[in-house]
DNA sequence: ATTATAGGCTAATTTCGATTAGCCGTCAAG
DNA sequence: CTTGACGGCTAATCGAAATTAGCCTATAAT
């Protein structure tokens, strides 16, 4: 990774830990292994570093959104998959979502930085909301909607059903961001949450028992 | 309110809007209607103002926790109340909780300030978690637990049930803190959430219909 | 009436961190 | 082989805020 990129990387780490105002350009430089004035060979000033991070974030989010939307668009044809989803698969889905958000280094640092900086700038607040609230909700709403159509889940209000699925995940995530030592506890609750969600919303009795799904329905 | 207290009040407002580092002592002074150097007649320095706010927060939280625990302690005797709770009452309960958190001025400003400052100091992160996650969860777990004992709700895992009740409220709250213009939308979802929660967890059919409760049970 | 104290002000002073100036070595293109 | 641009360094400089000095008035207690 070249210096210019390393500056962004180290800056993001520091901003996510202490917030923009509490990070000195000298701190960033030190992490990169150069002196503060050398930073200015790469970026006009401190603000430009921050802006570059946001720009990169937007770029990555667009890419990712592209991927998700491809899934979303194809999802109607994936209906068969969701028809046969088991509880264990649902848990795996939730786990993956959770662990991706929690452990993907880029994602995690962005999220923490936005959490700190969102009140400086309305645009950042909106970005936070979109990335960690609205987009996950609408993506999952598509999936759950498919499971409803497939007869796997009850025909409750899907928007609220999605809230019931995702809000606990979001909450556990905010716990882990702030108190990482609670991750183990959070994972246990995550699994219990999904199992209970499944018990509440699953349409057929047999779906409650793992793996024995799709005997009655299908084709 | 005397000057010393007004300083805390205005400082809290500013810190909650922009974060500690982005507020100048001159800003605080101006809001109070004095000049910056005069602040130093009341507090040793800027940090001391912040510390005093935290101290006051802790004091208020202790008081409040006291109240809640009294409720909690008495709650076993309030079981009769929860035995007869209707869906509308449950909604009122959720609404009140939500609107208290959202509109109580002190609470709201503290929460926003903690949201911004929590990563500076582990203690603040812990305070945030306790106040807005752990305490509400354990309080509500008591209430829901009573409703389970009273036969109003299903005998699912109460801890998870509480997560299902509170996590959506928490999530809607974080939305409103960041994008206040979404409050109306949030209130609508809040109500839909509670109705659906009730449909999912209520034990008897009649409780699903508003107001017609407590025909079969009671005395 | 006298004086001590609380609390306010203006005018420095201090501090600290961002930024600029200007120098230097390296290395690739001509 | 020489030149220019790239990226690094040290030593200023700048600027913004926090903080201090020192003065003034009102008021309340002696």
């Amino acid at each position: 990774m070249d210096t210019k990129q390393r500056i962004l990387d180290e800056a993001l780490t520091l901003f996510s830990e202490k917030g923009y105002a509490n990070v000195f350009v000298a701190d960033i430089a030190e992490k990169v292994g150069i002196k503060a004035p050398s930073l200015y060979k790469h970026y006009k000033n401190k603000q430009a570093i921050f802006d570059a991070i946001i720009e990169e974030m937007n770029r990555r989010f667009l890419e990712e959104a592209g991927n998700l939307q491809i899934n979303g668009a194809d999802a109607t044809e994936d209906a068969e998959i969701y028809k046969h989803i088991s509880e264990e698969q649902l848990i795996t889905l939730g786990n993956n979502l959770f662990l991706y958000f929690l452990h993907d280094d880029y994602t995690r640092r962005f999220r923490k930085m936005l959490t700190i900086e969102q009140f400086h700038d309305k645009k950042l607040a909106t970005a936070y909301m979109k990335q960690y609230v609205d987009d996950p909700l609408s993506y999952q709403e598509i999936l759950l909607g498919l499971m409803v159509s497939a007869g796997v889940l009850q025909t409750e209000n899907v928007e609220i059903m999605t809230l019931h699925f995702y809000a606990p995940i979001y909450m556990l995530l905010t716990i882990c961001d702030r108190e990482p030592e609670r991750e183990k506890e959070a994972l246990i609750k995550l699994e219990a949450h999904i199992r209970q969600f499944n018990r509440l919303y699953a349409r057929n009795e047999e779906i409650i028992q793992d793996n024995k799904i799709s005997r009655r329905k299908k084709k």
Side-chain angles (χ1 to χ4, degrees), chain A:
Chain A
M1 196 161 25
D2 64 350
T3 303
K4 190 158 185 168
Q5 185 57 39
R6 295 200 44 234
I7 292 171
L8 289 192
D9 193 57
E10 297 294 351
L12 174 58
T13 302
L14 288 167
F15 290 159
S16 75
E17 286 165 357
K18 320 207 254 176
Y20 180 82
N22 300 294
V23 172
F24 311 139
V25 290
D27 295 341
I28 303 172
E30 194 188 357
K31 292 281 185 151
V32 175
I34 59 180
K35 299 290 178 178
S38 304
L39 284 181
Y40 291 81
K41 299 287 182 178
H42 302 277
Y43 295 95
K44 187 171 141 282
N45 54 28
K46 187 181 174 186
Q47 184 63 42
I49 298 175
F50 184 82
D51 293 345
I53 291 175
I54 298 296
E55 215 178 294
E56 185 176 10
M57 174 182 75
N58 285 333
R59 195 165 35 65
R60 294 208 187 199
F61 284 177
L62 281 180
E63 279 174 30
E64 212 173 294
N67 294 341
L68 289 187
Q69 264 154 15
I70 287 169
N71 289 347
D74 292 354
T76 28
E77 285 162 23
D78 292 347
E80 280 301 298
I81 295 170
Y82 298 110
K83 217 181 270 187
H84 310 309
I85 198 163
S86 73
E87 186 183 51
E88 291 309 321
Q89 285 170 308
L90 205 59
I91 288 170
T92 304
L93 199 104
N95 259 319
N96 287 348
L97 181 69
F98 185 73
L99 291 176
Y100 169 73
F101 268 156
L102 191 60
H103 286 158
D104 181 84
D105 220 35
Y106 228 77
T107 304
R108 205 191 78 256
R109 286 180 294 162
F110 273 143
R111 189 174 57 249
K112 292 181 79 165
M113 188 178 83
L114 284 186
T115 303
I116 300 176
E117 301 301 332
Q118 63 190 323
F119 292 111
H120 293 173
D121 182 348
K122 191 68 204 306
K123 279 202 291 283
L124 297 181
T126 308
Y128 177 93
M129 278 294 113
K130 181 167 154 36
Q131 182 67 6
Y132 302 110
V133 176
D134 297 317
D135 281 357
L137 279 176
S138 42
Y139 177 63
Q140 286 165 49
E141 191 172 332
I142 294 174
L143 293 192
L144 295 181
L146 286 170
M147 297 191 213
V148 170
S149 315
V152 177
L153 297 180
Q154 290 182 36
T155 56
E156 286 285 349
N157 178 332
V158 178
E159 195 182 3
I160 300 299
M161 185 192 292
T162 310
L163 192 64
H164 285 170
F165 184 75
Y166 183 59
I169 295 177
Y170 175 81
M171 191 166 177
L172 292 171
L173 199 61
T174 74
I175 292 176
C176 292
D177 275 346
R178 288 159 186 78
E179 305 185 271
E181 69 277 11
R182 294 173 68 177
E183 184 176 328
K184 191 148 175 285
E185 164 206 345
L187 280 170
I188 292 170
K189 285 199 188 167
L190 175 68
E191 183 174 330
H193 151 56
I194 298 179
R195 286 192 194 283
Q196 191 146 318
F197 174 89
N198 190 41
R199 271 201 299 283
L200 292 168
Y201 279 109
R203 199 158 188 184
N204 308 298
E205 294 67 32
E206 59 265 48
I207 212 170
I208 295 175
Q209 314 302 332
D210 328 343
N211 292 338
K212 310 194 200 143
I213 20 77
S214 75
R215 281 182 312 186
R216 186 169 314 176
K217 348 197 55 79
K218 176 62 194 284
K219 222 169 246 167

